[in-house]
Amino acid sequence: MKKVLILQNTILHYRKALYNELSKDYEVTILHSGTHTVTEDDRYNEIICKKKKIGPFYIQPKVLSEVRKDHYDAIISMFDIRWINNLITMYIHKRRTKFIWWGAWVTDNKIANKIRLYLTNKKYSSILYTEDAKESFVKLGVDKNKLFVANNTFDVGKREKCYLHENKNMILFVGSLNKRKQNDVLIKAFDNIKNNIAKDISLVFVGDGEEEGYLKNLVSDLHLDKRVVFVGRVDDTDKLIDFYKKAIVSVSYGQAGLAVLQSFGFGVPFITKRNAISGGEKTNIKHDKNGFFCDDNVKSLEQILLKISNDIEYARKLGEFAYEYYTNFCTIENMAKNMAKAIEK
């Protein structure tokens, strides 16, 4: 069995399923500077090392000594040039060991893009989060044969075809209540359409965060207390499914991250604005097929909410496509399979 070393800053909870899936075919070790994550149910190994911060840069002293052991057939490094040891690893790893970047993307920062292009253009392969990211690098001159796409996702756990549920009466937000999500715009849009949709349709927030007090005050000021509900944070998948079953649509107006994939995994369409903050997850939204992009104004959001709230069968159709899209492109199994292509080629 081939041995794979993955260099990370920490192990995020939603990545555990990916590492366990990869570990079915490889002996996987994650070297990181977070807290202990491995339990008796996990297949992957981990090495935890301290990190040092020098200005904007980070150093993980144990990385270089681990790489020099020549234990590994492949090294997958997160693409973050602030973590100095990852850059050094690119030059000191053994010849027989394959070096692979993971997570590069093109931004509006020209200097950062030049660095990304230089590193991606070297002889090593790169695993990207989206097909759009691949197209961007190819347009900049990177050999497409060195680029692999493992669609960024996470395991939603138990899945149900929530689009089939009989009672659809929620416009749903799931996530942290922070300023970037612009939930105040969602609340104002709901206030403007509330008299033009069924009276039993509620706006439901599942999550907590720094803006919770502000948002609750806004709801109170708009006299929406009977139509807007704050549930708090829900981590139990079985309880979370109950909200998606009743959801007509999920909305995160200002930021479209992994919540897009979670919504699709349960068969619920997703709405965000075109220029929403995103790590690439919003590229999974196919407008008017499994979700919507609205313009950067409350009126555009209102029109889409009206359209989908007043045609539940239409919402179900989009939800079904969202479920199928997740099944075909966004499962953990698919992500691991496409990462394996980079390891094996």
Side-chain angles (χ1 to χ4, degrees):
M1 183 177 283
K2 289 184 178 179
K3 296 181 179 181
V4 177
L5 176 66
I6 301 179
L7 304 177
Q8 289 284 287
N9 53 356
T10 188
I11 293 182
L12 300 171
H13 69 91
Y14 62 83
R15 285 284 186 238
K16 284 172 63 73
L18 171 64
Y19 298 147
N20 281 317
E21 185 65 28
L22 276 173
S23 296
K24 292 178 180 178
D25 298 309
Y26 302 100
E27 186 178 321
V28 176
T29 301
I30 319 297
L31 191 154
H32 67 100
S33 298
T35 57
H36 179 75
T37 66
V38 173
T39 68
E40 60 183 15
D41 297 323
D42 293 312
R43 294 187 176 97
Y44 67 89
N45 307 303
E46 66 181 346
I47 299 172
I48 301 173
C49 71
K50 293 180 180 179
K51 67 177 186 290
K52 297 179 182 178
K53 191 172 189 297
I54 303 175
F57 300 103
Y58 295 89
I59 296 175
Q60 292 170 305
K62 196 177 282 189
V63 169
L64 302 185
S65 61
E66 189 64 26
V67 168
R68 286 193 178 102
K69 290 179 181 178
D70 196 22
H71 283 175
Y72 302 99
D73 298 285
I75 297 171
I76 300 175
S77 172
M78 67 175 182
F79 199 104
D80 189 333
I81 59 176
R82 297 174 303 166
W83 293 74
I84 299 300
N85 297 91
N86 297 350
L87 293 172
I88 298 173
T89 296
M90 181 176 66
Y91 293 100
I92 71 163
H93 70 275
K94 302 298 181 180
R95 282 190 177 184
R96 74 171 190 85
T97 303
K98 185 172 292 186
F99 182 86
I100 305 167
W101 288 114
W102 181 23
W105 73 101
V106 176
T107 67
D108 294 330
N109 188 317
K110 292 183 179 180
I111 295 175
N113 285 342
K114 284 182 178 180
I115 296 172
R116 293 185 182 102
L117 184 60
Y118 170 76
L119 295 174
T120 308
N121 240 339
K122 295 184 77 63
K123 62 182 178 181
Y124 310 113
S125 298
S126 292
I127 299 169
L128 309 176
Y129 286 141
T130 67
E131 286 290 343
D132 283 12
K134 179 178 178 178
E135 290 177 14
S136 296
F137 277 111
V138 171
K139 287 178 181 178
L140 291 172
V142 178
D143 181 359
K144 65 180 181 180
N145 293 314
K146 296 191 303 181
L147 303 177
F148 299 84
V149 177
N151 207 0
N152 193 32
T153 191
F154 73 112
D155 187 14
V156 300
K158 177 184 175 183
R159 294 179 66 199
E160 287 193 30
K161 297 179 178 179
C162 294
Y163 57 88
L164 295 175
H165 193 263
E166 183 178 353
N167 188 20
K168 291 284 188 179
N169 61 5
M170 288 184 185
I171 296 171
L172 183 66
F173 170 89
V174 178
S176 57
L177 302 178
N178 61 50
K179 193 173 183 179
R180 293 181 300 177
K181 308 292 177 69
Q182 294 184 275
N183 282 313
D184 53 343
V185 177
L186 174 57
I187 291 170
K188 291 171 184 175
F190 182 77
D191 181 47
N192 291 338
I193 69 166
K194 66 180 186 295
N195 295 326
N196 296 312
I197 59 177
K199 292 182 179 180
D200 68 331
I201 295 177
S202 300
L203 173 58
V204 177
F205 289 95
V206 177
D208 55 19
E210 61 196 31
E211 278 213 315
E212 185 172 349
Y214 162 68
L215 296 175
K216 286 181 175 179
N217 288 335
L218 177 60
V219 167
S220 180
D221 291 342
L222 294 173
H223 307 291
L224 290 172
D225 304 82
K226 294 182 179 180
R227 299 281 300 267
V228 180
V229 180
F230 291 88
V231 175
R233 182 170 176 169
V234 176
D235 294 321
D236 187 311
T237 302
D238 290 335
K239 292 180 180 178
L240 198 57
I241 287 177
D242 289 338
F243 293 100
Y244 280 106
K245 283 179 179 177
K246 298 178 181 178
I248 302 166
V249 67
S250 291
V251 186
S252 183
Y253 178 72
Q255 184 177 18
L258 290 169
V260 177
L261 284 311
Q262 179 166 275
S263 187
F264 285 4
F266 292 127
V268 175
F270 197 93
I271 300 173
T272 191
K273 64 178 181 177
R274 297 183 193 280
N275 60 345
I277 299 167
S278 179
E281 294 85 359
K282 70 180 180 182
T283 62
N284 293 290
I285 299 173
K286 310 306 173 187
H287 185 74
D288 205 20
K289 292 184 178 180
N290 59 12
F292 296 95
F293 290 111
C294 59
D295 297 325
D296 195 1
N297 61 74
V298 68
K299 194 68 179 178
S300 178
L301 178 58
E302 289 171 20
Q303 290 171 347
I304 293 173
L305 288 175
L306 276 172
K307 181 179 180 180
I308 198 166
S309 298
N310 287 326
D311 191 343
I312 301 301
E313 291 309 309
Y314 174 60
R316 293 186 195 281
K317 186 179 293 185
L318 269 66
E320 182 177 8
F321 186 87
Y323 187 92
E324 292 173 352
Y325 183 91
Y326 181 93
T327 302
N328 293 329
F329 302 108
C330 302
T331 62
I332 287 294
E333 291 79 8
N334 276 320
M335 190 174 186
K337 178 180 68 175
N338 288 318
M339 290 185 75
K341 290 178 182 178
I343 296 170
E344 295 298 331
K345 185 168 180 179

